[in-house]
Amino acid sequence: MEESEPLLGEERRLNGHCRWTTHALDTKAVENFRRKLKYFFMNPCEKYRARGRKPWKLMLQILKIVLITAQLVSFGLSNEMMATFKEDNLMTFRHLFLKGYKDHQQGSVWCFSKLTKQYVPPFFQYMNLQNLTLGNLAYEMDEDDYTPLSICQRFYKNVTIDPGRDTFDIDPQIDKGTKARPQTDTYNLNITFTLKTINLQTVRHHELPDCYGFHVMIIFDNHAHSGKINIMVDNDVSIYECRDWNVAGNSSKTDYLLLLFDFVVILACFASFILCTRSVIRGIQLQFEFNIFFHAYYSKIVTWSDRMEFVNGWYIFIIISDILTITGSMLKVGIQTKFLTSYDVCSILLGTATMLVWIGVIRYLGFFKKYNVLILTLRAAFPNVIRFCCCATMIYLGYCFCGWIVLGPYHDKFRTLDKVTECLFSLINGDDMFGTFLRMRDKSYMVWLFSRLYLYTFISLFIYMVLSLFIALITDTYETIKQNQKDTEPESLLQAFIAECRDQPESGRFQTDEEPLTCCGSLWECFKRN
């Protein structure tokens, strides 16, 4: 066979894009395959006009948005009551067990050179309150006896300190015990006990009240041995079903309706999961058929960019959302039936799923040309944005480490590495600039001068240069996308091949779905001959 007369067809280029002559390639099998590809990439409205097939996935996604959002609001109100109840009780404990506590404080701090008996009795007077019923609180009981509180002292194994003579002898190993030790030995002191209460406010929202166990921890932190003892109150919360309960006039009808609604959400997400998974599998199968076709007819290997067009990323997006929603809904059912108390895990799953569902709506807006610009811009700019962010991150980390080691001892916003990253990120967005500058005024002149040079260069570099280049990168991609939309020429080998099919959705030529073997069988035989 001569090269000037190809057996199966020939290829020519027009304005840099592939075109195929019709004298050899326009067989029935090839036309059916081209029509099959075109139908696969149609949007739901075009598929409905082509075959009258109703857009079930589109309608199901709209239904899911309504159901999942309503479910999230219902769970969010319950979760809000739980979180508020926990915070209010923690605030109550701090007022009860920290002398002189103010609401705006994160903890109470007393400064002592020595923790004497003049302070201890008032503290234990708070501990020995006999009546805590105002807040529906009670001490934990083991059968008929109250559960005793626990006192745990952490101390250095051996320490002898004489600051006046500048001498010390210390074993830094930390031991635990309940026996009193000298204050110079003490690292910290923890007092723990359990209070129990019932969250009654949920009964107004047709939910059974939960019983709460607050494991209160009062911490005397003396690890610095600087003369200042930090005294803090914290707690761990356990939520469980009450042993015996009775709500007058309570009807379980509302509970059953809520459970039924959750099962409807699970069923809708499961149906969406099946439909989207089937579409992904069909896309992968069609991608293999297309690869065999081009290898057989043109002896070409289809590029990965063309092959990945068959894998719809939005479907994978929806599948992930469905999995999260189903898992979160099952946890929500367990919480409502009092078998589980995993509020945090359920919140993360349902919150993430709802976010993905709403983001997934962009796919259907993308069927309209003007709305599709955002999606195309994000997809085209993503690789360049990642590379740009990697370079900018190197500069950002350099400033983080420098600020931490130099300004950390003099500025509370640079005291720890995580605070440095948060502070610098806030500065990039123009937040609290004056406060950051102001707190360095009373420091040493050398540190003050360095802080000015550090902050001015960072702000100038990232706000006026890095952010501007980042915006320019997105803008340039946007302009390129707009220009490409004006160009009617296809951008890829796959799109150029599909563009040869001039059949419109209303033409009636898409009414019958060709069997895969009709096309692939002939292509495979041709591939074996070559």
Side-chain angles (χ1 to χ4, degrees):
M1 180 180 65
E2 295 182 1
E3 294 182 357
S4 60
E5 297 180 358
L7 176 63
L8 297 172
E10 61 182 12
E11 172 187 340
R12 59 186 176 88
R13 290 185 173 272
L14 179 61
N15 295 331
H17 296 286
C18 297
R19 290 293 182 268
W20 292 270
T21 58
T22 60
H23 68 275
L25 282 183
D26 288 340
T27 62
K28 185 176 184 299
V30 174
E31 283 302 312
N32 288 338
F33 185 60
R34 183 183 281 116
R35 194 176 296 115
K36 182 179 181 180
L37 290 175
K38 184 172 183 178
Y39 178 81
F40 177 80
F41 287 101
M42 287 181 180
N43 62 52
C45 297
E46 292 174 338
K47 289 182 178 180
Y48 178 75
R49 294 197 300 268
R51 293 184 181 174
R53 179 175 296 177
K54 294 179 175 59
W56 296 112
K57 287 194 292 291
L58 172 60
M59 293 187 291
L60 186 58
Q61 297 309 314
I62 295 175
L63 178 63
K64 275 177 50 185
I65 292 175
V66 177
L67 293 177
I68 293 177
T69 303
Q71 182 193 46
L72 183 74
V73 172
S74 173
F75 180 75
L77 293 175
S78 176
N79 197 33
E80 180 183 350
M81 288 188 293
M82 180 271 299
T84 303
F85 186 74
K86 288 165 59 176
E87 292 176 358
D88 290 345
N89 276 275
L90 178 59
M91 188 66 63
T92 300
F93 300 152
R94 286 172 175 168
H95 279 285
L96 286 173
F97 304 122
L98 295 181
K99 188 176 181 180
Y101 179 77
K102 304 298 181 182
D103 286 349
H104 64 275
Q105 295 177 238
Q106 295 299 320
S108 287
V109 178
W110 287 267
C111 298
F112 298 104
S113 59
K114 191 174 183 180
L115 190 60
T116 62
K117 294 182 179 179
Q118 283 73 21
Y119 175 73
V120 176
F123 173 79
F124 282 97
Q125 183 178 357
Y126 279 89
M127 292 291 298
N128 292 328
L129 289 175
Q130 297 297 318
N131 187 4
L132 295 176
T133 57
L134 180 62
N136 189 29
L137 294 168
Y139 289 109
E140 184 183 44
M141 297 189 67
D142 184 8
E143 294 182 355
D144 295 330
D145 297 328
Y146 288 106
T147 302
L149 60 84
S150 172
I151 301 177
C152 179
Q153 184 179 15
R154 301 179 66 195
F155 49 85
Y156 293 114
K157 192 172 184 180
N158 182 33
V159 58
T160 302
I161 302 176
D162 190 351
R165 298 181 180 180
D166 301 328
T167 61
F168 66 90
D169 181 13
I170 187 171
D171 183 352
Q173 182 178 353
I174 302 296
D175 283 348
K176 297 180 181 180
T178 58
K179 184 178 179 180
R181 301 277 302 206
Q183 186 190 344
T184 54
D185 296 2
T186 303
Y187 188 80
N188 64 22
L189 177 68
N190 296 341
I191 301 175
T192 59
F193 55 95
T194 301
L195 293 175
K196 305 181 75 174
T197 185
I198 301 174
N199 187 3
L200 296 177
Q201 61 179 330
T202 58
V203 75
R204 294 182 288 108
H205 297 269
H206 306 287
E207 293 184 25
L208 289 178
D210 290 318
C211 288
Y212 286 67
F214 290 94
H215 306 283
V216 183
M217 296 167 287
I218 302 176
I219 304 170
F220 294 79
D221 188 359
N222 189 37
H223 74 278
H225 288 81
S226 60
K228 182 176 73 173
I229 300 177
N230 295 329
I231 307 178
M232 297 165 289
V233 172
D234 201 354
N235 64 27
D236 290 329
V237 184
S238 59
I239 306 174
Y240 50 90
E241 183 181 7
C242 297
R243 296 180 182 177
D244 188 17
W245 57 269
N246 179 43
V247 180
N250 178 63
S251 174
S252 58
K253 181 179 180 181
T254 303
D255 297 333
Y256 288 141
L257 290 177
L258 290 175
L259 292 176
L260 178 62
F261 180 78
D262 290 330
F263 283 114
V264 170
V265 174
I266 293 174
L267 182 62
C269 291
F270 184 74
S272 172
F273 175 83
I274 296 297
L275 292 176
C276 292
T277 303
R278 185 188 65 173
S279 297
V280 171
I281 294 174
R282 285 183 174 180
I284 294 174
Q285 291 174 344
L286 192 57
Q287 174 247 129
F288 283 113
E289 294 179 24
F290 182 71
N291 188 40
I292 293 174
F293 171 84
F294 261 81
H295 196 280
Y297 273 70
Y298 307 111
S299 299
K300 287 187 175 182
I301 300 298
V302 180
T303 61
W304 274 105
S305 60
D306 283 339
R307 298 178 69 172
M308 291 305 296
E309 289 191 43
F310 290 91
V311 181
N312 195 321
W314 289 110
Y315 287 151
I316 299 176
F317 206 71
I318 295 172
I319 289 173
I320 296 174
S321 172
D322 291 335
I323 294 174
L324 294 177
T325 304
I326 292 173
T327 307
S329 298
M330 294 175 66
L331 287 178
K332 183 173 180 292
V333 170
I335 291 173
Q336 288 181 337
T337 55
K338 307 305 177 184
F339 287 106
L340 298 173
T341 57
S342 306
Y343 280 92
D344 293 337
V345 177
C346 187
S347 300
I348 293 173
L349 292 175
L350 291 182
T352 306
T354 307
M355 178 185 67
L356 296 180
V357 166
W358 279 96
I359 293 176
V361 178
I362 298 177
R363 172 181 182 264
Y364 300 101
L365 294 178
F367 295 147
F368 305 94
K369 187 174 181 181
K370 292 184 178 180
Y371 291 100
N372 197 34
V373 174
L374 173 62
I375 303 173
L376 295 177
T377 302
L378 292 175
R379 185 171 61 184
F382 184 75
N384 291 331
V385 168
I386 294 299
R387 287 189 287 267
F388 181 85
C389 290
C390 288
C391 297
T393 301
M394 300 299 105
I395 304 175
Y396 185 79
L397 289 177
Y399 270 90
C400 287
F401 287 115
C402 179
W404 176 46
I405 198 66
V406 177
L407 303 182
Y410 303 96
H411 201 301
D412 56 352
K413 289 186 177 181
F414 294 83
R415 192 62 48 84
T416 60
L417 192 58
D418 60 327
K419 287 185 178 180
V420 176
T421 57
E422 295 167 359
C423 176
L424 294 184
F425 187 79
S426 299
L427 290 177
I428 292 176
N429 293 277
D431 182 31
D432 199 23
M433 285 190 182
F434 181 72
T436 304
F437 278 96
L438 185 64
R439 296 190 185 185
M440 292 297 299
R441 281 189 173 180
D442 299 328
K443 309 306 176 184
S444 66
Y445 179 75
M446 181 179 297
V447 176
W448 177 88
L449 185 62
F450 179 86
S451 69
R452 266 40 188 177
L453 180 64
Y454 174 86
L455 292 174
Y456 279 124
T457 56
F458 176 82
I459 292 172
S460 301
L461 178 62
F462 274 84
I463 292 183
Y464 303 129
M465 294 181 62
V466 174
L467 287 184
S468 298
L469 289 174
F470 184 82
I471 295 173
L473 185 65
I474 303 296
T475 305
D476 181 65
T477 306
Y478 174 74
E479 294 297 333
T480 303
I481 295 297
K482 288 183 62 178
Q483 184 63 33
N484 289 341
Q485 286 188 335
K486 297 178 181 179
D487 187 5
T488 58
E489 295 293 338
E491 297 179 355
S492 66
L493 197 67
L494 172 62
Q495 295 173 5
F497 178 75
I498 296 176
E500 294 294 320
C501 180
R502 305 299 181 182
D503 298 329
Q504 297 301 319
E506 301 86 356
S507 63
R509 305 196 66 180
F510 296 91
Q511 292 296 328
T512 58
D513 190 8
E514 303 294 338
E515 294 295 332
L517 291 177
T518 302
C519 175
C520 286
S522 59
L523 295 180
W524 182 248
E525 292 297 331
C526 180
F527 174 73
K528 290 193 293 183
R529 290 200 306 268
N530 288 280

